Amino acid sequence: MATFKAPKGTYDLIPPVSVKYLAVREAISAPLRNSGYGYIETPGFEDVGLFARGVGESTDIVSKEMYAFETKGGDQLALRPEGTASVLRAALEASLHKQGNLPVKLWYSGSYYRYERPQKGRYRHFSQVGAEAIGAEDPALDAELIILADQAYRSLGLRAFRILLNSLGDKECRPVYREALQGFLRGLDLDEETVRRAEINPLRVLDDKRPDVQKQLVGAPVLRDYLCDACKAYHEEVRALITAAGVAFEDDEKLVRGLDYYTRTTFEFVHDGLGSQSAVGGGGRYDGLSEMIGGPALPSVGWALGVDRTVLALEAEGIELDIPAPTAVFAVALGEEARRVLFGKVTELRKAGVAADFSFGGKGLKGAMKDANRSGARFAVVAGERDLAEGLVQLKDMESGEQSPVALTELVDAVRARLA
Ligand code: HAM
């Protein structure tokens, strides 16, 4: 019979590597949980229109990469390609913005889906941890989010990442720039698709990686020269606050993100050890998104960090996370009676908060000790009929190899004392 494989562009997280992913999610969310962000979880799919309107019809994400489908009931849905539109939709639906003080601060962690050409660091199913601060226009909020992401990466030991920062202007100044840029682009010698892109989304052309296009872009109008005074002042304040926090960043006036909802502050975290898929995270302000999806004006800012790429970044820097062994005590029972007694002790240990495991499958001493070794447990508890007849078990320190008898009734306390 044919065997099944994980679909193209996806991979499974399996022990022992999967603990790294848990640790990364934990490390990224810790600074958020410590800063007033509440946990939110939304469905893996949404009305396709939410993304079309929110992320933007002209983006690659919506036009080429979305897993969109019609259900048996005739609903038009899409697997979520990103989290921001969903989180804002959920916040509006629950009227979170009316229930207390703004901003509403939320964090999330989950799976996202994009039908992209798979390569290292680029998958069709990937995971993000993200944060959204909804309903406040305050440069300190933009700064807070950038500082928290920096803190998250540093807590993992990452060093070879850079923060790229830009302002995309607002609904006052960006259209003026857009027109100026379009005027410039119309004078260039570009292929048909790029000409079309220049009409729909001219800023995206600046992001074109081809050398012949880049050469022609020398001398293109730059957004910085078109920012209105309000946007300039806002951006300067964000820069000042991040600088004061000791977080280094680079101004990158060419930074254009792949989603249409951004206004003003935009940023990306790039890692220099990752090759072409170097963006480990990104985000920015999206002051118009709420209105785009039918809500009131709610200026907001957020980011999402890619868990898969963060794990790759750890590998690129040779960082081994300090993850404790999943099992502290491994019980090896020899004989039926010993199995029954030790199985009971394992349950007791677990209830006492000690991570314990048991040699299943009726193995002999040699095979069971191999399992104990493989488990990474600090101690093995070994007992046969003769020990039990004396009310004893053997407690073996797997590091030193030392073994000593312990009274069965004192096992839990003895183990806890030694682990402490
Ligand atoms: P994004 O830049 O599209 O932003 O994605 C954020 C991160 O998700 C990327 O930097 C990358 O690490 C990871 N990522 C994206 N696509 C893939 C893929 N195909 N394979 C592996 N990793 C991937 C957003 O999604 C926005 N919602 C961020 C945001 C939140 N903006 C405001 N609030």
Side-chain angles (χ1 to χ4, degrees):
M1 221 196 331
T3 53
F4 294 105
K5 295 220 158 98
K8 186 175 172 192
T10 73
Y11 63 105
D12 303 304
L13 300 183
I14 344 184
V17 177
S18 50
V19 291
K20 273 202 222 178
Y21 287 74
L22 290 178
V24 164
R25 291 188 187 117
E26 176 73 19
I28 297 176
S29 60
L32 299 169
R33 287 181 273 127
N34 194 37
S35 308
Y37 289 75
Y39 179 65
I40 183 168
E41 206 168 306
T42 63
F45 50 83
E46 296 273 353
D47 196 316
V48 70
L50 175 69
F51 302 118
R53 263 202 268 162
V55 176
E57 210 90 61
S58 77
T59 61
D60 284 352
I61 293 178
V62 168
S63 65
K64 300 184 188 156
E65 298 166 3
M66 207 146 62
Y67 284 89
F69 57 98
E70 186 177 308
T71 65
K72 292 196 172 76
D75 294 330
Q76 305 289 335
L77 302 177
L79 299 186
R80 57 184 182 189
E82 63 104 45
T84 309
S86 309
V87 167
L88 188 54
R89 192 269 309 141
L92 290 171
E93 190 170 332
S95 296
L96 293 186
H97 58 296
K98 293 181 192 157
Q99 283 170 16
N101 292 339
L102 295 175
V104 176
K105 302 209 284 188
L106 301 166
W107 76 272
Y108 52 93
S109 171
S111 292
Y112 297 86
Y113 308 86
R114 294 182 194 176
Y115 189 73
E116 297 203 69
R117 200 165 42 77
Q119 66 177 91
K120 187 167 185 201
R122 188 163 69 196
Y123 310 106
R124 290 181 172 176
H125 165 265
F126 57 96
S127 94
Q128 291 183 343
V129 174
E132 313 293 347
I134 297 165
E137 186 185 291
D138 182 341
L141 201 52
D142 307 41
E144 165 175 293
L145 279 161
I146 294 171
I147 293 164
L148 293 177
D150 180 77
Q151 201 180 318
Y153 282 143
R154 288 191 183 280
S155 77
L156 285 164
L158 289 169
R159 295 293 176 265
F161 67 89
R162 290 177 293 130
I163 303 174
L164 310 179
L165 184 69
N166 194 19
S167 172
L168 290 180
D170 63 7
K171 61 177 186 288
E172 302 300 321
C173 55
R174 184 139 43 129
V176 182
Y177 171 66
R178 192 187 136 101
E179 207 153 298
L181 181 60
Q182 269 173 341
F184 176 86
L185 294 174
R186 283 188 196 117
L188 304 183
D189 179 24
L190 301 167
D191 60 277
E192 215 172 294
E193 198 191 325
T194 312
V195 169
R196 211 172 322 122
R197 187 174 310 142
E199 292 311 314
I200 305 169
N201 203 332
L203 271 73
R204 194 74 47 69
V205 179
L206 299 178
D207 213 21
D208 201 312
K209 302 279 185 294
R210 291 172 297 179
D212 58 310
V213 177
Q214 278 304 322
K215 213 158 71 195
Q216 294 194 65
L217 288 174
V218 175
V222 285
L223 182 51
R224 198 181 35 200
D225 297 336
Y226 287 78
L227 289 184
C228 60
D229 288 343
C231 283
K232 254 188 233 161
Y234 194 96
H235 197 56
E236 280 316 309
E237 184 63 14
V238 173
R239 294 176 77 256
L241 288 168
I242 309 173
T243 306
V247 172
F249 62 90
E250 296 168 23
D251 292 306
D252 181 358
E253 60 193 31
K254 285 212 175 124
L255 178 68
V256 187
R257 308 252 310 122
L259 306 94
D260 277 353
Y261 48 61
Y262 291 112
T263 51
R264 290 194 169 168
T265 314
T266 46
F267 50 87
E268 217 154 71
F269 287 77
V270 294
H271 193 278
D272 292 324
L274 294 190
S276 67
Q277 301 307 308
S278 63
V280 285
R285 184 156 272 287
Y286 48 96
D287 293 341
L289 179 57
S290 174
E291 286 151 297
M292 273 148 62
I293 62 171
L298 282 173
S300 307
V301 56
W303 53 242
L305 309 188
V307 175
D308 310 76
R309 288 185 196 169
T310 303
V311 170
L312 290 174
L314 288 169
E315 282 162 15
E317 288 198 45
I319 298 168
E320 285 296 336
L321 297 178
D322 189 15
I323 296 168
T327 303
V329 180
F330 197 94
V332 171
L334 304 166
E336 268 318 298
E337 179 56 18
R339 277 173 61 79
R340 231 166 276 134
V341 174
L342 275 200
F343 186 70
K345 282 290 159 194
V346 164
T347 303
E348 246 182 80
L349 281 164
R350 289 171 178 167
K351 279 188 189 154
V354 178
D357 203 356
F358 184 75
S359 173
F360 292 99
K363 290 186 187 125
L365 181 60
K366 210 167 146 200
M369 286 311 288
K370 232 185 225 168
D371 287 349
N373 253 321
R374 211 173 290 136
S375 77
R378 181 66 210 284
F379 296 102
V381 177
V382 187
E385 312 288 315
R386 208 177 312 149
D387 297 305
L388 287 176
E390 293 170 39
L392 294 176
V393 294
Q394 303 294 326
L395 189 58
K396 181 172 180 183
D397 185 324
M398 300 297 280
E399 269 169 32
S400 66
E402 260 170 57
Q403 187 168 309
S404 52
V406 172
L408 190 58
T409 48
E410 273 149 39
L411 177 64
V412 175
D413 287 340
V415 165
R416 284 172 75 178
R418 281 178 217 204
L419 283 172

